[in-house]
Amino acid sequence: GKTTLSVNIGLHVALQGIPVLNMDTEMSKRDHQFKSLGILTDIDISSMENGRFAESPINKAKIASAVQKLKELKFHHRVIAGTPFEEQKAIMRRWLVKEVGLKEDGTANDCVIFYDYLKLMDTSGLSQDMKEYQLLGFMMTELHNFAVKYQVPVVAFIQLNRDGITKESTDSASGSDRIIWL
């Protein structure tokens, strides 16, 4: 439900005229478009994937209207799967400069960034000396520092670890204590 929540909130923010960047670590652009259209139209994604939505003139019109609406919205989706974290930050920075704009003090105009979801993209940084939870902690700290520097709200999602299935507490978050702290 992370992606559904992220896209749903992001669309509703964008409908208010506020630019949104959705940084997606898993979903393809095509799948993201289907999810967005499903949220805007209440049409089942599978009927869009197989084209059956077009059998209904009402659904066909809803999709056409929603496609136009998506083109007009400042709702940007970036697939970042496999992208190093430094490049991800560069993508966010370029988006702020090009699409959102910066104020004289260097902070961003109104916008929201959704990060779906915080995880390691590769294991190149893992070693005996550096553990996954430490790298995730460093990533979270960098994301926090980015948000503070540009005064940008960042809604970041994380994966629950297996304990999260049976209990709800701060130790159900997979990764690092820094994720919970920040």
Side-chain angles (χ1 to χ4, degrees), residues 9-10 26 55 143:
I9 296 171
E26 292 188 317
E55 294 171 0
L143 195 56

Side-chain angles (χ1 to χ4, degrees), residues 43 51-65:
I43 295 173
R52 294 192 67 96
F53 77 93
E55 294 171 0
S56 162
I58 292 170
N59 285 349
K60 194 173 178 181
K62 282 183 180 180
I63 292 291
S65 176

